[in-house]
Amino acid sequence: PYLGVLPLVDEVNPTFTWSDEDLAALDGSPVVAATKSMQMKLQREYDDLLGGKGKLCDLYPDYFPREHFTYKNWVWAFTMLFSRAIRLRNLKNGEALALVPYADLINHSPYSQAYLDAREKGDWLFKTGTEEVVLYADRSYRKMEQIYISYGPKSNADLLLLYGFALERNPFNS
C-alpha cells in the first residue's frame, strides 16, 4: 500500500531526472555539474548491478526480470530514496536509512530544529524492546499548524538536485 501512494518522478522533479534541454535553463549554476555527475553515477550503478551484460538481469532473469528492473524504475527508486528517506541515528543496531510513511510528507525549513529519530518503545523504566520513529518538535505547535524539519544545511543547488525545489531565502546559499 505505501509504495502505491508514492509520487511519480515528475511530481518530485529533482534535477537529476531532467533532460539536457530542461537543464540548460540553469546554465551557469553549480547544479548543472552536480546533476550531470549524478546522472552518470546512476547510469553506471544501474549498468554495474542490473542492466549491463552479464549482470543480475542476465544472470537471474527469474528474480530480476528486465521488464521490472528497468533504468526508469531504478531512477524512480533513487528519487524516492533521495527525497523521502530519513536517517535514523538511534536504532539499537546502529544508524539506518528508512522510508517512514507519513513522516516523509514533512516539509523542509532550514530554520527548523525539529527532527525525526528512532527510540525504544516504553517509558524510562519498562522498555518493550521494539522501536518507533518519533518527531521531536523544536517548539510548541498550534493545532493544524504545519511542522517542518530541516533536511540539513543544503544550498538551493542541493535542494534542486535531490528534492526538486529551491527556497526563496536560503541561508545555505553562498
Side-chain angles (χ1 to χ4, degrees):
Y2 176 60
L3 291 179
V5 300
L6 291 175
L8 302 172
V9 169
D10 292 345
E11 294 173 301
V12 179
N13 204 27
T15 61
F16 68 85
T17 66
W18 291 13
S19 67
D20 287 341
E21 182 182 328
D22 290 338
L23 200 54
L26 298 178
D27 275 347
S29 166
V31 76
V32 175
T35 296
K36 294 285 190 188
S37 176
M38 177 71 79
Q39 289 171 336
M40 288 187 299
K41 181 179 192 252
L42 287 174
Q43 184 69 59
R44 185 173 55 250
E45 288 177 351
Y46 173 79
D47 291 342
D48 288 348
L49 181 65
L50 289 166
K53 186 169 177 57
K55 301 303 177 185
L56 291 176
C57 288
D58 284 346
L59 295 173
Y60 307 101
D62 292 340
Y63 297 108
F64 299 96
R66 284 198 184 272
E67 64 269 16
H68 297 298
F69 290 87
T70 63
Y71 182 69
K72 181 178 177 181
N73 287 344
W74 178 262
V75 170
W76 176 85
F78 270 89
T79 300
M80 295 308 106
L81 178 68
F82 292 144
S83 68
R84 308 191 103 58
I86 297 164
R87 184 173 308 281
L88 301 175
R89 299 182 192 282
N90 289 318
L91 293 168
K92 287 188 290 189
N93 294 329
E95 187 174 295
L97 284 178
L99 292 176
V100 181
Y102 298 108
D104 63 344
L105 298 173
I106 302 173
N107 286 322
H108 167 72
S109 169
Y111 306 105
S112 177
Q113 298 297 311
Y115 65 97
L116 292 155
D117 208 345
R119 72 173 182 197
E120 191 173 358
K121 279 186 167 181
D123 59 30
W124 66 275
L125 186 56
F126 299 103
K127 300 292 183 186
T128 66
T130 58
E131 295 173 296
E132 62 187 353
V133 175
V134 177
L135 171 65
Y136 294 93
D138 54 348
R139 61 180 178 82
S140 295
Y141 286 86
R142 294 183 313 274
K143 184 178 179 178
M144 302 303 291
E145 182 181 0
Q146 183 172 182
I147 297 174
Y148 294 90
I149 59 174
S150 174
Y151 298 174
K154 301 200 181 313
S155 69
N156 277 341
D158 293 332
L159 293 172
L160 273 171
L161 175 68
L162 299 174
Y163 306 100
F165 70 88
L167 300 172
E168 188 173 332
R169 293 187 189 109
N170 187 340
F172 300 108
N173 274 348
S174 50

